[in-house]
C-alpha cells in the first residue's frame, strides 16, 4: 500500500500565522539589548548610527552584545516575513476548500484573526529592522509615521471586519456558537490582534515631535486598545465559565497563557501613550508609578503562566505535542507567553527598577534579573526551532503526519 507523506503544516490552519508571530516577537527580544544597553540621546530609541558608534569606540562586551542583537533581529525578521508570506499563500488556497466554509461556521472562525495579528507584528518588526540597519532613517522618520499609521489602520479595519463577520453570525443565528467547545481562551485571539494594532498605532505618539501626529496616534491607539480590553474581558470570562463546566480543551491548553502577551502589548501601549503625553502635552510622568504599573502586570502574567503550566502538565501536553509525535498548530501559542515575559521583564528592570533608583544599572542585581529575560528568550528560540522541525520539516519515514484533532 502506498502511503502519502505530508508535513503537518500541509494540513493548513490559520493558527500557523502564530509561527510568523513568534519569530517577529523574538526579533523584539533582541532589540531589547539595544534599547536598554546602547547609549543614545535625543531619541526614544537607538538607531543605526548609535550602533556604529559602539562598534567604533564601545567596550568589547557591548560590541559583542550589539552584534548578537543585530544578527538575531536579522534572522528572526527573515523567518517572520518568510512564514508570513507562506501563510498568506496557504490561506488563499485554504479559502477555496470546503474546510474553510466549515471553519467559518464554527467557533474556530476566530482563528482567522491570527492573520491580521501576524501582519501587524510584521509591520512593527520592519520598523525595528529599519532603525537597526538603515542609515539616516531617523532624519526622515516624521514622513514615515503617517504611512505607518495608515498601514496599522488598514490592518485594524481588516481585523474589525473579521470580528464583525464572526459576531454577526453568532449573535444573529441561534445555536451557531458551541458554548461547550468554548472551554479555553482561544476566543481571546481577536483581542490580541486588536491590541497589536493598538501598540503599533501608539509608536508615533511616543516618537513623533509633531503634535498632530501624536494626537491622532493617541486617539487611534486608544480606540483599538479599549476595544481589545473589552473583547478580551468578555472572551476570558465566558471561556473560564466553559472551562469550569467542561475542563480545558486539550489542544487549546496553551491559550490559557494568551493573557501574558496581551498584557505585555497593552503595557507597552500605555507606556508609549504616557511618553507621548509627556513629550507632546507636558504631562507629568512618575518613575515609581511606572514601576508599580509594570509590577502589577508582571504579577498577573506570572499567575497565568503558573496556571497554564499547571494545566498543560496535568494534561501531558508537552509530552504529546512538543516532545512527542502528535502535532497541533496551536502549539505555536506557547511561544508568545515566553517572548512577552522576556520583553516585560526587560521593561520592568530598566524602565521600572532602574528608573526608580532601586537597582543600579549593570550591577549584579541588574544582570541577575535581566538573566530571567534572556533565559526566557533562549527557551523560546529552542521551542521555535523544535516546532518548526515538527511542522515544517521533512515528513517521517513512514505513516502520515497530520495535525492532531
Amino acid at each position: 500500500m502506498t502511503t502519502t507523506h505530508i508535513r503537518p503544516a500541509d494540513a493548513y490552519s490559520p493558527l500557523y500565522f502564530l509561527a510568523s508571530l513568534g519569530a517577529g516577537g523574538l526579533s523584539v527580544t533582541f532589540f531589547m539589548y539595544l534599547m536598554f544597553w546602547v547609549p543614545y540621546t535625543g531619541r526614544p530609541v537607538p538607531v543605526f548610527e548609535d550602533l556604529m558608534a559602539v562598534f567604533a569606540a564601545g567596550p568589547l562586551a557591548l560590541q559583542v552584545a550589539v552584534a548578537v542583537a543585530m544578527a538575531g533581529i536579522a534572522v528572526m525578521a527573515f523567518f517572520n516575513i518568510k512564514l508570513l508570506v507562506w501563510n498568506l499563500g496557504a490561506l488563499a488556497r485554504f479559502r477555496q476548500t470546503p474546510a474553510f466554509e466549515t471553519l467559518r461556521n464554527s467557533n474556530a472562525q476566530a482563528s482567522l484573526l491570527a492573520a491580521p495579528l501576524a501582519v501587524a507584528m510584521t509591520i512593527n518588526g520592519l520598523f525595528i529592522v529599519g532603525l537597526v540597519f538603515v542609515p539616516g532613517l531617523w532624519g526622515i522618520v516624521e514622513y514615515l509615521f503617517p504611512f505607518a499609521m495608515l498601514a496599522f489602520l488598514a490592518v485594524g479595519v481588516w481585523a474589525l471586519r473579521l470580528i464583525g463577520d464572526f459576531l454577526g453570525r453568532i449573535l444573529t443565528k441561534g445555536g451557531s456558537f458551541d458554548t461547550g467547545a468554548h472551554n479555553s481562551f482561544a476566543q481571546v485571539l481577536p483581542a490580541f490582534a486588536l491590541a497589536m494594532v493598538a501598540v503599533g498605532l501608539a509608536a508615533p505618539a511616543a516618537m513623533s515631535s509633531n503634535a498632530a501626529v501624536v494626537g491622532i496616534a493617541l486617539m487611534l491607539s486608544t480606540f483599538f486598545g479599549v476595544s481589545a480590553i473589552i473583547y478580551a474581558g468578555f472572551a476570558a470570562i465566558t471561556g473560564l465559565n466553559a472551562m469550569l463546566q467542561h475542563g480545558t480543551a486539550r489542544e487549546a491548553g496553551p491559550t490559557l497563557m494568551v493573557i501574558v502577551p496581551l498584557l505585555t502589548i497593552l503595557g507597552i501601549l500605555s507606556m508609549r501613550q504616557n511618553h507621548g503625553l509627556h513629550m507632546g502635552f507636558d504631562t507629568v510622568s512618575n518613575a515609581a508609578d511606572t514601576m508599580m504599573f509594570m509590577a502589577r502586570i508582571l504579577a498577573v502574567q506570572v499567575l497565568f503562566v503558573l496556571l497554564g503550566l499547571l494545566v498543560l502538565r496535568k494534561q501531558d501536553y508537552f509530552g504529546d505535542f512538543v516532545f512527542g509525535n502528535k502535532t497541533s498548530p496551536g502549539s505555536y501559542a506557547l511561544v508568545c507567553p515566553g517572548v512577552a515575559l522576556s520583553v516585560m521583564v526587560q521593561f520592568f528592570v530598566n524602565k521600572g527598577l532602574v528608573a526608580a533608583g532601586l537597582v543600579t544599572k549593570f550591577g549584579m542585581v541588574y544582570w541577575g534579573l535581566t538573566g530571567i529575560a534572556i533565559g526566557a528568550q533562549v527557551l523560546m528560540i529552542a521551542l521555535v526551532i523544535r516546532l518548526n522541525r515538527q511542522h515544517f520539516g521533512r515528513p517521517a519515514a513512514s505513516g502520515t503526519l497530520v495535525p492532531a484533532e
Side-chain angles (χ1 to χ4, degrees):
M1 182 178 67
T2 302
T3 304
T4 301
H5 302 285
I6 62 172
R7 305 175 306 170
D10 292 328
Y12 186 70
S13 165
L15 291 178
Y16 276 117
F17 275 101
L18 298 181
S20 172
L21 176 72
L26 282 170
S27 70
V28 177
T29 65
F30 282 105
F31 185 69
M32 294 296 98
Y33 297 9
L34 310 179
M35 181 81 175
F36 297 123
W37 302 348
V38 171
Y40 58 92
T41 57
R43 293 177 301 273
V45 289
V47 296
F48 174 83
E49 287 74 15
D50 298 313
L51 310 185
M52 294 304 103
V54 169
F55 286 129
L60 178 60
L62 184 56
Q63 290 181 1
V64 172
V66 170
V68 170
M70 293 180 72
I73 290 169
V75 171
M76 291 304 166
F78 170 78
F79 282 108
N80 170 223
I81 296 170
K82 176 184 177 181
L83 288 167
L84 179 67
V85 171
W86 177 85
N87 268 284
L88 291 172
L91 179 61
R93 294 187 295 273
F94 181 62
R95 287 179 179 275
Q96 309 304 315
T97 67
F100 178 73
E101 288 304 315
T102 301
L103 180 142
R104 286 189 70 240
N105 289 284
S106 69
N107 291 16
Q109 184 180 2
S111 67
L112 293 173
L113 270 296
L117 168 61
V119 171
M121 178 72 255
T122 299
I123 298 173
N124 280 306
L126 288 175
F127 187 72
I128 288 176
V129 169
L131 291 175
V132 173
F133 294 104
V134 179
L137 182 69
W138 197 256
I140 60 169
V141 73
E142 289 290 352
Y143 299 101
L144 300 179
F145 285 143
F147 295 102
M149 287 193 293
L150 286 174
F152 280 115
L153 186 59
V155 176
V157 171
W158 177 21
L160 290 173
R161 286 175 62 90
L162 291 175
I163 292 172
D165 288 343
F166 179 52
L167 294 181
R169 176 178 64 81
I170 64 176
L171 295 178
T172 59
K173 296 180 181 179
S176 62
F177 186 80
D178 187 348
T179 54
H182 182 31
N183 52 338
S184 70
F185 282 167
Q187 296 299 327
V188 179
L189 184 62
F192 196 178
L194 293 173
M196 188 65 75
V197 170
V199 78
L201 285 167
M207 300 180 191
S208 178
S209 58
N210 184 295
V213 171
V214 172
I216 294 171
L218 286 171
M219 296 305 106
L220 289 175
S221 61
T222 296
F223 171 79
F224 283 98
V226 170
S227 299
I229 293 170
I230 293 174
Y231 199 105
F234 279 108
I237 291 170
T238 55
L240 181 60
N241 180 62
M243 282 186 278
L244 291 174
Q245 295 185 55
H246 306 285
T248 303
R250 191 159 185 261
E251 280 196 56
T255 65
L256 289 174
M257 295 183 286
V258 73
I259 300 300
V260 178
L262 180 63
L263 286 177
T264 290
I265 292 172
L266 292 175
I268 295 173
L269 163 66
S270 178
M271 286 185 281
R272 284 179 171 180
Q273 288 186 332
N274 287 340
H275 185 77
L277 289 169
H278 172 65
M279 298 301 295
F281 301 97
D282 296 323
T283 60
V284 178
S285 59
N286 186 291
D289 289 340
T290 301
M291 177 184 67
M292 292 309 300
F293 170 69
M294 287 187 284
R296 295 183 185 107
I297 288 179
L298 268 173
V300 177
Q301 289 177 317
V302 169
L303 287 172
F304 273 95
V305 167
L306 293 175
L307 174 63
L309 292 177
L310 171 67
V311 173
L312 293 174
R313 183 176 64 83
K314 292 285 187 180
Q315 294 181 332
D316 195 25
Y317 184 93
F318 290 97
D320 281 343
F321 295 105
V322 178
F323 303 112
N325 295 322
K326 294 182 179 180
T327 57
S328 170
S331 297
Y332 278 98
L334 292 169
V335 178
C336 300
V339 166
L341 200 60
S342 175
V343 171
M344 183 50 66
V345 168
Q346 289 272 26
F347 270 97
F348 175 63
V349 171
N350 291 277
K351 294 294 187 180
L353 299 177
V354 172
L358 282 180
V359 170
T360 301
K361 192 164 187 176
F362 302 139
M364 289 183 63
V365 175
Y366 178 91
W367 287 119
L369 295 172
T370 300
I372 298 173
I374 296 174
Q377 177 195 36
V378 172
L379 283 175
M380 291 308 101
I381 292 172
L383 178 59
V384 165
I385 292 172
R386 170 64 180 172
L387 292 177
N388 284 350
R389 286 177 178 173
Q390 281 184 306
H391 292 263
F392 295 94
R394 297 178 63 181
S398 60
T400 302
L401 280 175
V402 295
E405 295 181 357

